[in-house]
Amino acid sequence: MDILLIAGLWLDGSAWAEVAPALEKLGHRAVPITLPGQGDGATGATLDDQVAAVLAAVDTADGSPLVVGHSAACTLAWLAADARPERVAKVALIGGFPKTDGQPYAAFFEIEDGVMAFPGWGPFAGPDTADLDEQALAAIASTMVDVPGEVATGVVRLTDERRYDVPVLMICPEFTPDEAREWIAAGDLPELARAKHIDFADIDSGHWPMFSRPDELARLLAAAATGV
């Protein structure tokens, strides 16, 4: 199966450098996506541009793909399910949750000079980064790129309730599957509360398992693809 890989904020397609070959060895075609404005120099990119890039990958995939979103990009994966419910075989969400219709995509930090820069590791101290040593943190930070403000503040638009028919795998890194289930039951994650087919998988990592647990993450994704 084609497995489309969408990294979260400040990351380009190279974030999957270790996951992609591991998926290939497991018999799947990995397709890391470099989003407009995150690694291609398009500082004026918008959320619509990023959605269009993901949909282009869905439309050109061989058969029905597994669409993988990490962190904020879980919303991009969910937007793909909304726009192409008949084409997306499954959505895998790593360490994040889809926003609801009308919410800003990822307005988490201040926009300065038209971009939302990586704020450093301070806001992510604790479970998010506990499995990364100083060398790894420095290496990852060196690859971070500014996110265009029009991406971060772009408004999420969901239009097709058939997205709830698309199977979902929630991969839980810095939180547990039980915690995710509690948040869904409490109404904190309304989009996932309406998903008709949702499974959970635990991974013993921080927020960026593509760097700290690439082989284990690849195995989880391959299993999800095989199980469709």
Side-chain angles (χ1 to χ4, degrees), residues 149-219:
E150 292 296 319
V151 170
T153 62
V155 177
V156 173
R157 294 300 181 196
L158 298 164
T159 61
D160 195 332
E161 293 202 353
R162 290 181 297 166
R163 66 185 178 276
Y164 300 123
D165 295 322
V166 178
V168 176
L169 173 65
M170 181 77 250
I171 297 178
C172 306
E174 73 274 20
F175 53 87
T176 67
D178 284 344
E179 286 174 321
R181 291 186 183 97
E182 289 173 5
W183 297 332
I184 292 171
D188 297 331
L189 307 174
E191 284 297 306
L192 296 185
R194 298 185 64 185
K196 297 177 182 177
H197 315 281
I198 182 167
D199 293 312
F200 300 85
D202 200 7
I203 185 168
D204 186 16
S205 77
H207 190 64
W208 289 270
M210 67 274 280
F211 298 114
S212 60
R213 300 286 188 277
D215 291 334
E216 184 179 354
L217 180 58
R219 287 194 294 271

Side-chain angles (χ1 to χ4, degrees), residues 39-63:
D40 65 350
T43 57
T46 66
L47 178 60
D48 286 345
D49 293 330
Q50 292 201 347
V51 173
V54 173
L55 295 183
V58 171
D59 292 340
T60 57
D62 184 9

Side-chain angles (χ1 to χ4, degrees), residues 6-158:
I6 317 167
L9 297 174
W10 309 296
L11 297 171
D12 62 19
S14 68
W16 306 100
E18 294 186 65
V19 175
L23 284 171
E24 300 281 350
K25 289 180 181 178
L26 293 169
H28 299 282
R29 178 174 176 257
V31 184
I33 298 173
T34 290
L35 297 166
Q38 286 180 223
D40 65 350
T43 57
T46 66
L47 178 60
D48 286 345
D49 293 330
Q50 292 201 347
V51 173
V54 173
L55 295 183
V58 171
D59 292 340
T60 57
D62 184 9
S64 296
L66 167 65
V67 182
V68 181
H70 163 255
S71 193
C74 289
T75 296
L76 286 175
W78 196 237
L79 284 164
D82 179 72
R84 300 289 190 274
E86 74 289 345
R87 280 279 291 160
V88 173
K90 196 171 196 175
V91 168
L93 309 176
I94 305 169
F97 317 99
K99 293 292 187 71
T100 58
D101 182 67
Q103 288 186 312
Y105 171 64
F108 301 129
F109 300 97
E110 187 174 353
I111 307 296
E112 293 185 0
D113 298 324
V115 299
M116 186 173 69
F118 175 57
W121 293 114
F124 307 105
D128 284 357
T129 55
D131 60 338
L132 296 168
D133 60 22
E134 290 301 319
Q135 183 178 359
L137 292 172
I140 297 167
S142 72
T143 70
M144 297 290 199
V145 295
D146 295 342
V147 175
E150 292 296 319
V151 170
T153 62
V155 177
V156 173
R157 294 300 181 196
L158 298 164

